[in-house]
Amino acid sequence: MITSISTQIQLAARPVGWPRPNDFATVQIELGELAPGQIRVVNEFISVDPYMRGRMSAAKSYSAPFGLGETMTGGAIGRVVESASDAFPVGSVVLHQFGWRDVVQEDAAGFKVVPEIPGAPLSLYLGILGMTGLTGYVGLTAVANMVPGDTVFISGAAGAVGTAAGQIARLLGAGRVIGSAGTDEKVALLTEKYGYDAAFNYKSGPVREQLAAAAPEGIDVFFDNVGGEHLEAALDVFNPGGRAALCGAIAGYNSTERKVGPDNMVNMITRGLSLKGFTLGSYLDLAPEFNEHMTAWFTAGKIAYDETVVDGIGNAVDALLSMMQGANTGKMVVRTAVMADVIR
Amino acid sequence: MITSISTQIQLAARPVGWPRPNDFATVQIELGELAPGQIRVVNEFISVDPYMRGRMSAAKSYSAPFGLGETMTGGAIGRVVESASDAFPVGSVVLHQFGWRDVVQEDAAGFKVVPEIPGAPLSLYLGILGMTGLTGYVGLTAVANMVPGDTVFISGAAGAVGTAAGQIARLLGAGRVIGSAGTDEKVALLTEKYGYDAAFNYKSGPVREQLAAAAPEGIDVFFDNVGGEHLEAALDVFNPGGRAALCGAIAGYNSTERKVGPDNMVNMITRGLSLKGFTLGSYLDLAPEFNEHMTAWFTAGKIAYDETVVDGIGNAVDALLSMMQGANTGKMVVRTAVMADVIR
């Protein structure tokens, strides 16, 4: 592989409804000589995440929309192949947000050396050991104020954040943990591999009825990755003082129809409930605390995980779409296939 | 007046939709001799409040439903006319929750002596100096975490809680205060008497458009007494980190149709918003703090108020209904007309 050419995926048009291949363009950029302080990194994995759909729209949001004609940004992990920075010797493993490109060359300030946990595959730093795990941790603790003994319901529980959140809830002392997922296979995984007490397939019947059956004594915490019907169902069964962390609403991200909200908002008043939306950016100060917990849990063998790996940066768009359709179990990552040739 | 006969309004049937006269019954009960520790109180004012509609239904709620065939409970204020308790000499002014009756005879433990503020009409202790004012204070402070400089939007701002909340927001340092009300007269009152910076009539156009026009720089806090369209409009214009205290949803209390929730719940995630429902019962520990503030504000002449007074306990049901239809400005109370004859 010639690392002086960077293949990058750019946003070419703002999608209406589901993104289509024409909304993206692949470009090849010739990288110049390193400027002082720069490093060149060959990516091993790039992350595709639900929040990226939001950033494709021009609407006001928590982070600036992706620019048209600009390379899609997002989490990625790779190795330094050339360096003009003493802090990043060649061979260092680094995390960054430069996103959908196989080779990145930027000022070293944009990268972070990964403190590797022995035995952990690199891709996990984009997932349960990284932002995804932190999202689950933050949602349960700082946003939903989970306390030991709480009954916790997690929607989209077999997804990247869901698999993290379910395990973290248990490790933090949740009483009963309930999850929903979109296939019977995922549902089985939740109870068999991830230690859920109850799980149901949200495509096989009304969420309201299934959740009520799975939570006969109500729920205290709701970690929502899906939105829509799930939120309505949770509002039905919340115990007084219940708290929801709204992390995702993937059900509606690609909808062009009016998204109708819950019909039972009044329960919020009568039961003293709280709903709190969040994005990770406001809670990054919890990263050290999370890292400490997660390193201990992972090292002790207490963390299970699944990954869905798609090969080739050229398949990044397909990976994103299939992830939003629920094709993944656990974190979806794209492996930039060239890595093996260059580095290993 | 013979104070040994108590006229009481009881719930006779659970209303479907708007309560009707047949849902209530008036009974007269002969009171016996005082037992040791009891007092007999002639009510001067009884309170009618939106939350009472919720308690007429059998549904699970924060407080037990009113019992069928039992006298409607709720706030009331009156004077002791007979006493078998040293702590409550004849003539004491007392607050209690025995509700819709002209004369009440119960154990003294159910009553509280009112620490009268000079110049304050007794009815205000059912309103801005009492639970109503405390509701506004709690919603802004403990529920919505208002901070000085916040832009605050209050729906149903000319109602009992609304007129209290608007003034308290200002006195606690809110930047801009915006209100909605259901008639042009009330809207004028908000800006002319209650110091609102902007106000609009929610019946004269779409709430979304009117709120967006009144809040060009967004809102930070939303104190909701109305629900429905108002919540949707607030979610549109919330600044990042915005917080709502959901106090009432009077728009839907008497509806028998499906109440469709906001179509823009996803803003909660992208802007990191929180919605928190509350009822006063969970925040009664803030009463001393509120009383201290409110006594100082009232004594300094900083508190404006309106009251809508209906005469005669026989009109209590009509008062409740007309209050829920917006006929009141400020607190709605029922004056038990006999008082003047007996006490003054």
Side-chain angles (χ1 to χ4, degrees):
Chain A
M1 181 200 184
I2 298 158
T3 67
S4 61
I5 294 179
S6 173
T7 301
Q8 312 190 354
I9 315 285
Q10 301 187 335
L11 187 66
R14 303 213 176 274
V16 176
W18 285 93
R20 287 188 283 196
N22 282 352
D23 297 326
F24 302 90
T26 301
V27 299
Q28 293 202 311
I29 290 171
E30 175 111 27
L31 303 170
E33 296 286 306
L34 286 190
Q38 283 192 328
I39 60 175
R40 183 176 295 177
V41 170
V42 172
N43 281 338
E44 186 151 357
F45 292 98
I46 63 175
S47 185
V48 291
D49 299 281
Y51 79 82
M52 291 174 170
R53 177 62 187 86
R55 295 192 62 193
M56 292 178 195
S57 302
K60 176 178 174 181
S61 185
Y62 58 98
S63 51
F66 291 125
L68 286 181
E70 290 176 15
T71 298
M72 295 274 297
T73 54
I77 192 164
R79 282 180 212 261
V80 178
V81 293
E82 278 192 55
S83 177
S85 162
D86 292 343
F88 293 86
V90 169
S92 308
V93 176
V94 292
L95 273 169
H96 62 86
Q97 289 289 322
F98 295 108
W100 295 23
R101 57 191 91 196
D102 59 356
V103 186
V104 54
Q105 179 172 317
E106 293 286 349
D107 192 90
F111 299 84
K112 207 178 73 174
V113 172
V114 176
E116 293 183 61
I117 301 175
L122 285 195
S123 53
L124 294 194
Y125 295 98
L126 298 181
I128 200 158
L129 302 181
M131 292 299 178
T132 310
L134 180 56
T135 301
Y137 181 81
V138 157
L140 290 166
T141 58
V143 182
N145 296 313
M146 196 203 98
V147 294
D150 276 349
T151 294
V152 177
F153 170 50
I154 298 171
S155 65
V161 171
T163 48
Q167 298 183 78
I168 294 170
R170 178 72 78 204
L171 289 162
L172 292 176
R176 188 173 166 82
V177 182
I178 302 163
S180 74
T183 71
D184 290 344
E185 292 69 29
K186 290 180 182 178
V187 168
L189 210 60
L190 291 180
T191 52
E192 290 161 15
K193 179 170 179 178
Y194 288 104
Y196 278 71
D197 298 291
F200 61 86
N201 182 343
Y202 60 77
K203 290 180 179 164
S204 71
V207 177
R208 290 184 113 133
E209 291 171 20
Q210 295 195 84
L211 178 59
E217 294 177 21
I219 65 172
D220 304 298
V221 164
F222 174 38
F223 191 114
D224 192 14
N225 297 300
V226 179
E229 228 185 324
H230 276 87
L231 180 54
E232 197 166 65
L235 289 174
D236 270 356
V237 299
F238 259 129
N239 293 324
R243 292 137 278 141
L246 308 183
C247 177
I250 202 164
Y253 286 173
N254 296 292
S255 167
T256 51
E257 294 178 9
R258 184 180 144 90
K259 303 167 210 41
V260 167
D263 68 359
N264 50 359
M265 292 291 287
V266 73
N267 290 358
M268 292 196 60
I269 301 173
T270 56
R271 302 187 201 169
L273 308 178
S274 79
L275 305 182
K276 194 161 182 182
F278 76 107
T279 53
L280 193 53
S282 307
Y283 296 91
L284 292 176
D285 57 318
L286 293 178
E289 170 185 326
F290 162 74
N291 289 336
E292 196 174 317
H293 277 299
M294 184 49 82
T295 301
W297 291 330
F298 191 87
T299 307
K302 293 180 177 170
I303 296 293
Y305 59 90
D306 284 275
E307 292 186 292
T308 305
V309 180
V310 169
D311 269 306
I313 192 164
N315 293 317
V317 172
D318 285 347
L320 180 70
L321 293 178
S322 67
M323 183 268 297
M324 287 192 294
Q325 287 159 345
N328 60 307
T329 299
K331 183 77 176 88
M332 172 77 96
V333 292
V334 174
R335 180 160 46 203
T336 51
V338 293
M339 276 306 294
D341 310 331
V342 187
I343 303 296
R344 285 182 172 164
Chain B
M1 181 201 186
I2 299 159
T3 67
S4 61
I5 294 179
S6 172
T7 301
Q8 311 190 355
I9 314 285
Q10 301 187 336
L11 187 66
R14 303 213 175 275
V16 177
W18 284 94
R20 287 188 282 195
N22 282 353
D23 298 324
F24 302 89
T26 302
V27 299
Q28 294 202 309
I29 289 172
E30 175 110 28
L31 305 171
E33 296 287 305
L34 286 190
Q38 283 193 328
I39 59 176
R40 182 176 295 176
V41 170
V42 172
N43 281 337
E44 186 151 356
F45 293 99
I46 63 176
S47 185
V48 291
D49 300 281
Y51 78 84
M52 292 174 171
R53 177 63 187 87
R55 295 193 62 191
M56 291 178 196
S57 302
K60 177 179 173 182
S61 185
Y62 58 99
S63 52
F66 291 126
L68 285 182
E70 290 176 16
T71 298
M72 295 275 296
T73 54
I77 192 165
R79 283 181 212 260
V80 178
V81 293
E82 279 192 56
S83 178
S85 163
D86 291 344
F88 294 85
V90 168
S92 308
V93 176
V94 293
L95 272 169
H96 62 86
Q97 287 289 322
F98 295 108
W100 294 23
R101 57 191 90 196
D102 59 357
V103 186
V104 54
Q105 178 172 318
E106 294 286 349
D107 192 272
F111 300 84
K112 206 178 74 174
V113 172
V114 176
E116 293 184 61
I117 301 174
L122 285 195
S123 54
L124 293 194
Y125 295 97
L126 298 180
I128 201 159
L129 303 181
M131 293 298 179
T132 310
L134 179 57
T135 300
Y137 180 82
V138 157
L140 291 166
T141 59
V143 181
N145 296 313
M146 196 203 100
V147 295
D150 276 350
T151 294
V152 177
F153 170 51
I154 299 172
S155 66
V161 171
T163 48
Q167 297 183 77
I168 293 170
R170 178 71 78 204
L171 288 162
L172 292 175
R176 186 170 165 85
V177 182
I178 302 164
S180 74
T183 70
D184 289 345
E185 292 68 30
K186 291 180 182 178
V187 168
L189 210 58
L190 292 179
T191 51
E192 289 162 16
K193 179 170 180 177
Y194 289 104
Y196 278 70
D197 298 290
F200 61 87
N201 182 343
Y202 61 76
K203 292 182 178 164
S204 72
V207 177
R208 288 185 115 132
E209 290 172 21
Q210 295 195 81
L211 178 58
E217 295 177 20
I219 64 171
D220 304 298
V221 165
F222 173 38
F223 191 114
D224 191 15
N225 296 301
V226 179
E229 227 185 325
H230 276 87
L231 180 54
E232 196 167 67
L235 289 174
D236 271 355
V237 300
F238 259 129
N239 293 324
R243 293 137 277 142
L246 307 183
C247 176
I250 201 164
Y253 287 173
N254 297 291
S255 167
T256 51
E257 293 177 11
R258 185 180 142 91
K259 303 166 207 48
V260 167
D263 68 359
N264 50 358
M265 292 290 287
V266 73
N267 290 357
M268 291 196 61
I269 301 173
T270 55
R271 301 187 201 170
L273 308 179
S274 79
L275 306 183
K276 194 162 183 182
F278 77 107
T279 54
L280 193 53
S282 308
Y283 297 90
L284 292 175
D285 57 319
L286 293 177
E289 171 185 325
F290 163 73
N291 288 336
E292 196 174 316
H293 277 299
M294 184 50 82
T295 301
W297 291 330
F298 191 88
T299 307
K302 292 180 177 171
I303 296 292
Y305 60 89
D306 284 275
E307 291 185 292
T308 305
V309 180
V310 168
D311 269 306
I313 192 165
N315 293 317
V317 173
D318 285 348
L320 180 70
L321 293 179
S322 67
M323 183 267 298
M324 288 192 294
Q325 287 160 344
N328 59 308
T329 300
K331 183 77 177 86
M332 173 78 95
V333 292
V334 174
R335 180 160 47 202
T336 51
V338 294
M339 276 306 294
D341 309 331
V342 188
I343 304 295
R344 285 181 172 164

